[in-house]
Amino acid sequence: MRQLFFRQLKAFHYTVPVLAAGLLCSSFTTVNDKETHRVNTLRQVMKRITTEHFQPKALDDNFSSSIWTKYLQNQDPNKLLFRQQDIALLRSWEKQIDDELKAPSLGFFRQADSLLVIRIKEIMPLYRGILAKPMDFSRKDSIAATIEHWPGGEKACKLAWERYLKLQILQKMREVQAEKPALSMAAAEKEARAKVLFRQDVFYNNYVGESGTDLRFSSFMNTVVMEIDPHTNFYAPADERERDARMSHRYFGIGLELSADEGEIRVKRVLPGGSAERSGLLQANDHILSLADAGGKMKPLAGLSVPQVSQMVRGDSGSVLRMLVSRAGRESEISLTRGVILDNSNAAKSAVIERNGKHYGYIKLPDFYRDLSRPDGAQCAVDVAKAVLALKKENVAGIIIDLRGNGGGSLEEVQKMAGIFLPAGPVSQGRFKDKVTRFDMMQWKDVSYDGPLTVMVDESSASASEMFAGAMQDYGRAVVVGSPSSYGKGTMQETRAMGKMGNKQLGTPNISYGSMAITLGRFYRITGASTQLQGITPDVVFPGKGEWNGFRERNYPTAWEPDTMAAAYFERWERAGTLTAPIAAAKARVAQDTGFAAIREALGWLKAHEKDVRPLSFKEFQRAAAEKAVFEQRLEVAARMTGGGVMGARVLVSAAAGSPEADRQEEWLKTLRTDRYIAHTADLVGDMAP
């Protein structure tokens, strides 16, 4: 099935990536094999770009120069590894990368990668030497929020590292002293220094390890494709599997939720239905020391992130995973068989909110998810439809759809979900290379809701979320509330695999070059307006907590400018005119809310001090950190209702008393009961109710 996706893909911001190993197929074992595979991957990617992308850029010297600059910045964002002479040496490639992409060849990548590995190996003794002795925080010094230049020589390099490590230790000391207030400054500094050393060693040992070049090649490929637009992305084979699992809410594993604590991977909880639960061999807080790789070799996990380890735990159905586990100081090796795990942690959730004597339906939708591999797999529209039916039975006065933090997903799910709330008509429009089309909502035989409806968005509500919220707003079917604007993504992608089928008779394996999410077109609101850069402007604006550090489409240097197209024919909802008075009343309440006033004040301070230099003397750092913490805390406290403002909230189906699921439900309900944004939205729905 051809499936378009509308997603805000956060994994590929311009930073050093934290991707799992697995770019290369296991059948490629020699350096030459891997090099050939990378060149073939580049060939496949560029072929897709030039023949299928909606709006490819010219591969010229300007394109080359931008790739050169961004890739070096990605690999060394803090200007701690490369030297000025390295940059001068690599500058010969600045206007040649476009020619390499056409060839294809990887001369620039190989030379930059070799230089980086050399510098890392030189740097490791340097930072270890600095961290071997207590830091002197008495001298007045500072470090800029953004480092502009690479160091010129040994002395400048050492100074840059001393400043960087001082900042890391000061930040870690603050954490240590918060946990252990009685600890002396000297003891806190020693503990913090040891933790910083451990973190640095783990990071750089991984980065120069056997998978390091694969990680950097994946970063290079994404630097190339994201120069065309921010949402054309390259996925290595292992990353493909994670992406599919996120969309389908289904994967093959053993059923564990993991946590990371100071470099240690531990079992956070054992999920019901998996082989881990059935075996009885694992329990919460078990320390997982190592896992066997595809070749059977045990790989230590110290310092790896939870996403990295999760990728190692997951695999093919029926395959066996060996692990070394420590509990109470005793180590044991266990083997478990991977099977289907249904991940409902990010599925749609519903509750009944009670406020001022009225009951409101609340539906939280984290993603527009869809399992394309199975007709009976997870579909968010089906889950929302079930929630709507259950809430109607509760005779709620109205329904709140919460899309805050929803980065998008499946177009078809948007079309189906819109059909729950409107009888017929277009949801969105699209412009492709060779055609213009409209996307109509899909109707349900036995599910509909025509009562009061609101849609909540914030600065991270993107793509499919913006399509749904925009349609509800344009029809006048719902009141949209939230941050001053949503994310601002107005392009659509399709994920396409790259590779070659093997031949069992000839003994040749399948070859995967990964996959690409490639931009095939733009989408537009039914009015003809674009959400690109502009996002959705809510009918009722709340001050957004994430405004001061939120990342939006407009922050990407390669984000496209918005345009327009002709409006589609549609008829406004018959009761759209009834929304004017409730919107006006809601705006008045927001303007008078002292909690929102406190949020605006805190946001103003945080924005104003976002680029302040970081002091490196202990007293000045503590003063600056404490001042910032005051406003961050004020932001969190002001977003919560207290006293008589606390709402009632209950789920429709309660988990078994005393179960972990019951504990998670209660934690979620606690959050809902005090959410100032939900409280204002509920009051608005109350005004809309007949």
Side-chain angles (χ1 to χ4, degrees):
M1 178 186 293
R2 187 171 184 268
Q3 182 73 26
L4 289 171
F5 289 94
F6 297 73
R7 248 188 120 63
Q8 169 201 357
L9 298 172
K10 299 181 181 178
F12 299 111
H13 288 175
Y14 288 123
T15 57
V16 176
V18 182
L19 303 174
L23 173 64
L24 303 178
C25 295
S26 58
S27 56
F28 295 102
T29 55
T30 69
V31 172
N32 287 339
D33 284 342
K34 289 188 175 185
E35 180 66 16
T36 300
H37 189 272
R38 290 186 188 115
V39 170
N40 287 337
T41 299
L42 177 60
R43 179 181 288 110
Q44 291 277 331
V45 166
M46 297 315 298
K47 180 181 178 181
R48 293 278 190 187
I49 292 293
T50 55
T51 60
E52 300 173 19
H53 197 278
F54 175 71
Q55 193 174 306
K57 284 185 177 179
L59 300 180
D60 55 18
D61 286 352
N62 289 333
F63 189 92
S64 177
S65 181
S66 187
I67 297 298
W68 182 87
T69 300
K70 288 172 182 174
Y71 180 67
L72 296 179
Q73 172 65 29
N74 291 350
Q75 297 309 300
D76 191 13
N78 295 309
K79 307 294 193 298
L80 293 169
L81 301 175
F82 289 125
R83 311 286 177 84
Q84 288 179 10
Q85 58 265 39
D86 299 330
I87 303 303
L89 179 64
L90 293 170
R91 197 168 292 281
S92 62
W93 294 102
E94 187 176 4
K95 301 296 176 67
Q96 295 186 46
I97 298 174
D98 56 319
D99 300 318
E100 288 214 293
L101 298 177
K102 296 170 187 174
S105 60
L106 289 166
F108 164 68
F109 171 75
R110 284 198 304 271
Q111 186 170 16
D113 198 60
S114 297
L115 268 175
L116 188 70
V117 171
I118 289 169
R119 289 305 188 195
I120 290 173
K121 290 179 178 178
E122 291 175 351
I123 285 300
M124 292 178 80
L126 172 63
Y127 74 68
R128 286 170 179 165
I130 295 171
L131 291 170
K133 297 177 289 186
M135 287 285 180
D136 178 10
F137 295 117
S138 61
R139 182 168 54 90
K140 189 172 183 178
D141 198 1
S142 64
I143 185 171
T146 303
I147 308 299
E148 299 293 340
H149 305 290
W150 276 281
E154 295 292 334
K155 186 177 180 180
C157 182
K158 184 177 181 182
L159 179 60
W161 268 100
E162 285 175 344
R163 286 174 171 163
Y164 171 77
L165 292 172
K166 273 189 175 183
L167 180 62
Q168 300 304 306
I169 293 169
L170 284 166
Q171 291 171 338
K172 187 59 68 175
M173 282 178 68
R174 189 169 172 81
E175 294 175 18
V176 169
Q177 290 175 316
E179 293 174 4
K180 305 173 184 177
L183 214 57
S184 69
M185 179 177 169
E189 188 275 342
K190 183 178 181 180
E191 184 173 333
R193 193 157 32 91
K195 290 183 176 183
V196 170
L197 174 61
F198 175 80
R199 186 172 60 193
Q200 292 293 137
D201 275 349
V202 166
F203 178 81
Y204 285 120
N205 281 325
N206 285 335
Y207 214 50
V208 298
E210 60 187 62
S211 64
T213 305
D214 293 346
L215 298 177
R216 294 187 290 278
F217 178 70
S218 188
S219 176
F220 176 70
M221 293 305 303
N222 274 297
T223 305
V224 170
V225 298
M226 290 178 69
E227 185 61 23
I228 298 164
D229 80 275
H231 304 285
T232 291
N233 298 137
F234 168 75
Y235 296 93
D239 303 313
E240 278 185 280
R241 180 176 290 169
E242 286 301 299
R243 181 206 62 226
D244 293 344
R246 284 196 301 271
M247 279 301 297
S248 66
H249 288 196
R250 178 176 172 272
Y251 61 90
F252 298 113
I254 60 174
L256 292 179
E257 184 177 339
L258 303 174
S259 64
D261 181 21
E262 295 297 342
E264 294 182 353
I265 296 296
R266 293 187 175 272
V267 176
K268 186 175 181 180
R269 69 182 177 108
V270 178
L271 302 177
S275 58
E277 181 195 43
R278 291 194 300 272
S279 72
L281 297 174
L282 290 169
Q283 63 185 39
N285 207 41
D286 282 351
H287 179 195
I288 304 177
L289 302 171
S290 55
L291 295 174
D293 64 13
K297 183 180 178 181
M298 296 298 273
K299 296 287 186 181
L301 304 185
L304 295 185
S305 67
V306 169
Q308 287 175 305
V309 177
S310 294
Q311 286 192 351
M312 296 169 70
V313 170
R314 298 176 187 184
D316 296 329
S317 180
S319 61
V320 175
L321 174 67
R322 287 193 303 118
M323 59 176 63
L324 185 63
V325 178
S326 174
R327 182 187 302 164
R330 297 184 62 181
E331 297 181 6
S332 60
E333 184 177 304
I334 62 176
S335 297
L336 295 170
T337 301
R338 296 180 176 99
V340 175
I341 302 295
L342 300 178
D343 181 8
N344 294 318
S345 58
N346 282 316
K349 293 188 288 189
S350 59
V352 174
I353 301 291
E354 301 169 18
R355 181 164 172 81
N356 297 329
K358 291 186 178 181
H359 294 72
Y360 307 101
Y362 172 83
I363 300 173
K364 174 67 176 177
L365 184 64
D367 295 286
F368 282 87
Y369 50 86
R370 172 85 189 276
D371 185 353
L372 295 175
S373 65
R374 295 157 52 92
D376 61 344
Q379 299 177 43
C380 73
V382 171
D383 292 343
V384 169
K386 290 177 180 176
V388 167
L389 286 174
L391 292 169
K392 286 175 70 174
K393 290 180 180 178
E394 295 285 326
N395 295 315
V396 294
I399 291 178
I400 300 166
I401 304 289
D402 191 346
L403 300 181
R404 292 178 296 175
N406 185 320
S410 166
L411 160 63
E412 188 173 324
E413 294 306 298
V414 177
Q415 293 173 276
K416 289 192 292 186
M417 197 165 122
I420 299 171
F421 304 104
L422 284 165
V427 175
S428 180
Q429 305 180 90
R431 178 180 286 145
F432 299 88
K433 262 187 171 184
D434 56 353
K435 65 179 180 180
V436 171
T437 190
R438 81 177 207 176
F439 305 108
D440 288 344
M441 62 188 72
M442 301 178 185
Q443 300 308 303
W444 299 73
K445 291 182 180 179
D446 52 358
V447 184
S448 66
Y449 176 75
D450 64 355
L453 182 69
T454 56
V455 179
M456 301 182 72
V457 297
D458 65 8
E459 55 280 342
S460 58
S461 301
S463 211
S465 291
E466 294 172 299
M467 179 185 287
F468 179 82
M472 295 298 107
Q473 188 179 58
D474 291 338
Y475 277 100
R477 175 62 187 89
V479 178
V480 178
V481 303
S483 301
S485 76
S486 57
Y487 184 83
K489 179 176 178 288
T491 58
M492 45 191 162
Q493 289 71 37
E494 184 176 304
T495 301
R496 296 180 173 178
M498 302 179 294
K500 296 179 180 179
M501 292 294 292
N503 187 314
K504 287 185 178 180
Q505 292 180 336
L506 297 177
T508 56
N510 294 336
I511 299 176
S512 173
Y513 298 118
S515 64
M516 285 186 68
I518 187 166
T519 297
L520 299 180
R522 292 175 178 258
F523 73 86
Y524 303 82
R525 298 173 69 157
I526 53 178
T527 61
S530 173
T531 58
Q532 181 64 20
L533 295 190
Q534 303 165 131
I536 301 292
T537 301
D539 301 297
V540 179
V541 174
F542 301 148
K545 285 200 308 175
E547 282 292 304
W548 73 279
N549 61 357
F551 197 94
R552 289 198 175 112
E553 182 82 1
R554 61 175 176 253
N555 297 109
Y556 284 106
T558 58
W560 294 351
E561 290 297 318
D563 62 355
T564 60
M565 69 180 299
Y569 175 77
F570 68 98
E571 294 182 359
R572 293 264 290 175
W573 188 48
E574 59 185 10
R575 300 201 295 276
T578 64
L579 303 180
T580 304
I583 289 173
K587 287 181 176 179
R589 285 192 294 268
V590 170
Q592 296 166 6
D593 190 319
T594 56
F596 280 149
I599 289 174
R600 292 189 194 94
E601 181 188 1
L603 285 172
W605 189 94
L606 290 166
K607 283 182 180 180
H609 294 271
E610 194 173 9
K611 296 182 179 179
D612 285 358
V613 297
R614 276 64 167 169
L616 297 178
S617 68
F618 182 78
K619 288 183 179 179
E620 283 299 303
F621 176 84
Q622 289 288 79
R623 181 200 60 76
E627 187 176 19
K628 182 181 179 183
V630 166
F631 287 94
E632 289 176 333
Q633 180 69 12
R634 191 174 297 173
L635 200 62
E636 292 301 317
V637 170
R640 295 288 160 198
M641 304 292 283
T642 58
V646 175
M647 299 170 284
R650 58 182 171 85
V651 293
L652 300 182
V653 180
S654 298
S659 68
E661 181 60 30
D663 292 339
R664 285 189 294 276
Q665 280 186 348
E666 184 54 34
E667 284 300 312
W668 182 59
L669 291 173
K670 282 182 181 178
T671 302
L672 297 188
R673 290 173 185 133
T674 59
D675 189 316
R676 184 175 299 275
Y677 298 90
I678 293 177
H680 273 266
T681 308
D683 289 341
L684 168 61
V685 177
D687 290 343
M688 295 163 63

